[in-house]
């Protein structure tokens, strides 16, 4: 049987509002996601027996962290395949091969992206034929960011990030991403957020109106000014050196600079291709920066190739 290939983008959060911790341990989020042109690829090959296996590799030198990605049932792509199989009663297994470009533990939802890609790839490879809405239900059970990575484009995320609704947006944006040498655990950043905010009143999160207005207008300058991330203080507390990375991009004239999700990847918005090249060049001198990538967004979600 011939393999099925799926490309899946990374996500960034144009804003990330974080509310007070809920009884189930999750924080309510109010975010606007954008899918960006930095893609992992998942190849699914059906097996005759019932095993589900995964391999992970990267052609990008700066992605040596792929070595820490689990290659057992903890891999999110494997969990996605198992969930789909349990829900559809398929008996075959699958070999999953992940080609990683999205940084690991970089705040760009690489693991969730692979889960979304695995759902789409296995659904095709096994011929289970679930329609998008059914895949979205499974995606929501796998993780907060997984439904958005099926969807792609721009979207408002609510709940703990898993409820995705479309947003009126126009324009294509030029981004520069500064990847750090080591990943940052999302769990550790939320724990630091709780530690810092103990005794403070944390407001219910909301998506800022100026950000939605900037997206509706396709106004990069206004979007740059409206970028926000409530996890900044917590991530910088764990990684103070990221402050230098952000400053270098701002000095290079970025329209906006924030951390991506829980970090440590830093995002810079540029006005055009040349501007993004200038910012990328300036960032190559940042000590905390392992790799600099120019990218565009929005792009579609997980798709067969
Ligand atoms: P998020 O932005 O969703 O918080 P992240 O981008 O910071 O996540 P990921 O790259 O998704 O982080 O990885 C977080 C952890 O998940 C890794 O350290 C790894 O142990 C585990 N993991 C499981 N499956 C995968 C996968 N397919 N790719 C990457 N990491 C995975």
């Amino acid at each position: 049987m011939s393999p099925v290939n799926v490309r899946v983008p990374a996500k960034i959060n144009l804003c990330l509002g974080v509310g007070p911790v809920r009884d189930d341990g999750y924080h309510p989020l109010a975010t606007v996601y954008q899918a960006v042109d930095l893609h992992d690829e998942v190849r699914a090959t059906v097996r005759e027996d019932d095993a589900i296996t995964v391999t992970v590799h990267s052609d990008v030198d700066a992605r040596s962290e792929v070595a820490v990605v689990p290659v057992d049932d903890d891999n999110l792509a494997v969990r996605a395949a198992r969930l789909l199989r349990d829900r559809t009663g398929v008996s075959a297994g699958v070999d999953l091969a992940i080609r990683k470009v999205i940084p690991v533990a970089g705040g760009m939802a690489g693991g969730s992206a692979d889960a979304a890609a695995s759902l789409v790839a296995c659904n095709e490879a096994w011929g289970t034929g679930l329609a998008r809405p059914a895949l979205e239900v499974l995606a929501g059970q796998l993780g907060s960011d997984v439904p958005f990575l099926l969807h792609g484009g721009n979207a408002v995320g609510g709940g703990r990030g898993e409820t995705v609704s479309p947003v009126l947006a126009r324009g294509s944006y030029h981004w520069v991403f500064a990847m750090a040498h080591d990943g940052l655990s999302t769990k550790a950043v939320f724990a630091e957020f709780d530690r810092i905010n103990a005794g403070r009143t944390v407001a219910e999160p909301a998506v800022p109106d100026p950000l939605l207005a900037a997206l509706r207008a396709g106004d990069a300058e206004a979007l740059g000014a409206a970028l926000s991330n409530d996890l900044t203080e917590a991530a910088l507390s764990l990684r103070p050196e990221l402050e230098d990375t952000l400053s270098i991009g701002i000095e290079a004239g970025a329209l906006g600079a924030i951390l991506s999700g829980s970090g440590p990847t830093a995002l810079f918005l540029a006005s055009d291709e040349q501007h993004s090249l200038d910012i990328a060049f300036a960032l190559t001198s940042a000590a905390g920066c392992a790799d600099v990538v120019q990218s565009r967004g929005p792009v579609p979600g997980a798709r067969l190739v």
Side-chain angles (χ1 to χ4, degrees):
M1 218 166 296
S2 50
V4 170
N5 286 298
V6 171
R7 277 185 103 212
V8 64
K11 64 86 190 166
I12 58 176
N13 303 86
L14 303 178
C15 63
L16 182 57
V18 180
V21 65
R22 304 191 309 208
D23 291 343
D24 64 2
Y26 285 102
H27 294 77
L29 303 180
T31 187
V32 175
Y33 292 111
Q34 184 170 101
V36 292
D37 183 17
L38 190 71
H39 290 87
D40 278 1
E41 240 174 75
V42 175
R43 192 180 68 225
T45 312
V46 174
R47 294 172 63 102
E48 306 240 318
D49 63 14
D50 64 356
I52 297 181
T53 71
V54 66
T55 54
V56 184
H57 83 283
S58 180
D59 312 327
V60 184
D61 286 346
R63 299 295 183 279
S64 56
E65 349 76 275
V66 297
V68 305
V69 175
V71 285
D72 55 17
D73 283 2
D74 285 341
N75 192 296
L76 283 165
V78 174
R79 286 189 12 214
R82 278 197 189 287
L83 182 64
L84 178 67
R85 192 165 71 172
D86 290 351
R87 292 304 154 83
T88 54
V90 168
S91 55
V94 68
D95 291 323
L96 300 168
I98 302 175
R99 183 171 161 269
K100 265 226 157 283
V101 173
I102 305 173
V104 177
M108 301 188 85
S112 303
D114 297 344
S118 174
L119 281 179
V120 174
C122 292
N123 192 38
E124 180 73 17
W126 284 332
T128 38
L130 292 195
R132 281 275 157 162
L135 287 181
E136 276 164 27
V137 171
L138 298 187
Q141 292 165 14
L142 288 162
S144 308
D145 296 329
V146 186
F148 173 69
L149 291 156
L150 281 179
H151 189 277
N154 298 292
V156 172
R160 51 183 171 78
E162 82 289 10
T163 62
V164 172
S165 37
V167 63
L168 259 178
R170 60 162 72 108
S172 172
Y173 298 91
H174 295 263
W175 296 100
V176 181
F177 304 139
M179 276 84 165
H181 293 283
D182 297 303
L184 199 46
S185 143
T186 305
K187 212 171 144 203
V189 175
F190 275 99
E192 183 66 1
F193 175 89
D194 290 338
R195 192 191 66 77
I196 291 171
N197 287 294
R200 293 185 191 166
T201 306
V202 177
E204 285 304 321
V207 170
D209 286 337
L211 188 127
L212 294 175
L215 276 178
R216 272 197 306 274
D219 182 339
E221 204 159 320
L223 182 66
L227 297 174
S228 65
N229 184 348
D230 284 356
L231 292 177
T232 308
E233 190 183 1
L236 292 181
S237 157
L238 297 177
R239 286 287 172 78
E241 68 273 18
L242 290 173
E243 210 138 1
D244 284 342
T245 308
L246 290 170
S247 305
I248 291 172
I250 291 165
E251 276 161 32
L255 303 177
I258 52 165
L259 296 179
S260 178
S262 52
T265 305
L267 312 177
F268 303 91
L269 183 58
S271 45
D272 55 29
E273 189 74 37
Q274 181 58 46
H275 188 205
S276 98
L277 195 63
D278 295 344
I279 296 169
F281 183 71
L283 284 164
T284 51
S285 69
C289 194
D291 193 15
V292 183
V293 174
Q294 291 171 259
S295 181
R296 296 287 289 267
V299 297
R303 291 287 179 280
L304 294 168
V305 286

